[in-house]
Structure formats: structure tokens, C-alpha cells
Amino acid sequence: MRVTVLGCGASGGVPLLGCDCAVCHSPDPRDRRRRSSVLVEQGATRLLIDASPDLRAQLLDAQVTRIDAVLFSHAHADHCHGIDDLRLICRAMDTAVPAYGDAETLAELARRFGYAFEAKTTSWFRPALEPRTVNGPFAVAGATVRPFPQNHGPTMVTLGFRIGPFAYSTDVSDLDDDAFAALEGVETWVVDCQSIEPSYVHSHLERALGWIERVRPRRAVLTHMGHDFAYAALANRLPEGVEPGYDGLELVMEDGR
Ligand SMILES: [Zn+2]
Ligand SMILES: [Zn+2]
Ligand SMILES: [Zn+2]
């Protein structure tokens, strides 16, 4: 199994427009963060998690022209406003693409991007997405996906995803026992770490490290990072087995299908 971090930035990306801080002016390419999204490849199966506003550039860089499905963690703009770029995927594959999310997320996507769910055939002009409501574990193109709810602030729920040896937890402020059960035995975990200071809607460094200590993955990768973090300085202060993500990072693991 191979996972590519297509983007590991917070909602505004890094550099943040108009910001004068050192990280936003860093010459290190690992400090340039597109909005968060990952590509999961298990055998011939390719799953995209979230359609960030930077999706076109992300798919070009990763040379992705086909996917078996797109999984949405939630409907915040930084996770779905690249949805229109999926029309080129549908066009290249000449088929509709299943779009998985919880009922609330799919309803919000249908409200905001109705045209993407109405198409029966592919075209240059719009994506053709087939909504698939997630109520529990599901199989897609031979891969088994175990979704688990995560708190994203006091009023919002996002889906984390466990796929074999891999798990993805973006946009999360709290994890309950069911989430920790879903994460049990995970080999590689990509997890939200937006900032240094605590946040109501996201995980911050201390919280993320606490969760990692409890989950004990072989490898933990921080994502959804804002401009608090310079890659090199952060990498130096993290415990063994924990690292900051960067755009283009490839994570390879034994296939746990
Ligand atoms: Zn986000
Ligand atoms: Zn900045
Ligand atoms: Zn969010």
C-alpha cells in the first residue's frame, strides 16, 4: 500500500496570503503546503480522500488520471472546493466516480455542487459523481474502508478513515473510544496538527502527540499544518516515529488487505 500526501496545509494553505512571518517566506519547499488531501493506493485500487481547492495541481504532480472513488471527510471548503477538477478524472475514465461521505456531508455537497451529482454521463463541463452514503464500513474496488466519526469542534463531525494498515484523521479536535478502537494496531497514521496553541476545532501539537502516544503507530505523520510550523525545526523536536508531513510525501506500508 502506498499513500501520497497531496497536501498537508491548513485551510488557508502555507504561505498564507498576506502574511509576513518567517514560515510563509521560508525557502524550504517543505514549508509550502497545499490544502489537505491524500491519495491511497492499495494494489490497483486508488482512493482520493478529499478534493482540496488545490486539487488540479495536486493531481498533476501525482500524475493521477483515474481514481476508483473519492471519500469526503466533511464539507468544509478546504476539503471539497476542488470538486470541479474531478470532471477531468471522470472524462479521462469515461465513467462516473463514486463519492463517499456521511449523510450530512453529501447533502451539503449536493446543495453547493448539485451540478456535479446530476450528470448521468461524463462531459468536459461537469464532474459526474455518484453519492454513496457512509453508515459503517464499506468496500470499494476491493479495498475495505472503516470510517469513524471524529469531533471537529463542538458542533461538527468529520469522518476519519481506516484502510488496512493506514488511517487518516484530519480536522479533529477530539477522538472518542470508538475512534481509538478503529485506530488500534494502525501502522501509519496521518493526523491533524494545525497549530502550537490549542484550538476548539483542530488538534494542536501537544494533543496530537498525546493521541500518538496512546495509538502507538509505527509511523505518525502530522498534517493540516498552519504557519506555526517550519518543517525542519518541527522535525527536529518530534519524538521518534513522528514526523511532519510535506506535500508529495509517499508513505509505503505492507498491504494489510
Ligand atoms: Zn480543514
Ligand atoms: Zn505566516
Ligand atoms: Zn474542517
Side-chain angles (χ1 to χ4, degrees), residues 132-188:
R132 304 267 170 91
T133 306
V134 169
N135 293 311
F138 58 95
V140 48
T144 301
V145 181
R146 179 177 177 184
F148 53 94
Q150 313 174 131
N151 287 335
H152 184 22
T155 58
M156 181 133 193
V157 171
T158 59
L159 289 181
F161 297 104
R162 172 77 184 265
I163 307 167
F166 171 72
Y168 188 63
S169 292
T170 193
D171 293 62
V172 52
S173 54
D174 278 299
L175 293 167
D176 62 16
D177 287 342
D178 288 345
F180 282 112
L183 289 164
E184 205 174 305
V186 71
E187 185 190 321
T188 300

Side-chain angles (χ1 to χ4, degrees), residues 78-90:
D78 54 320
H79 298 266
C80 63
H81 279 206
I83 203 165
D84 193 69
D85 290 334
L86 291 171
R87 69 196 155 105
L88 283 317
I89 296 281
C90 298

Side-chain angles (χ1 to χ4, degrees), residues 195-210:
S195 55
I196 293 172
E197 294 297 319
S199 153
Y200 284 113
V201 285
H202 284 278
S203 172
H204 64 294
L205 185 57
E206 196 183 324
R207 192 179 300 158
L209 291 177

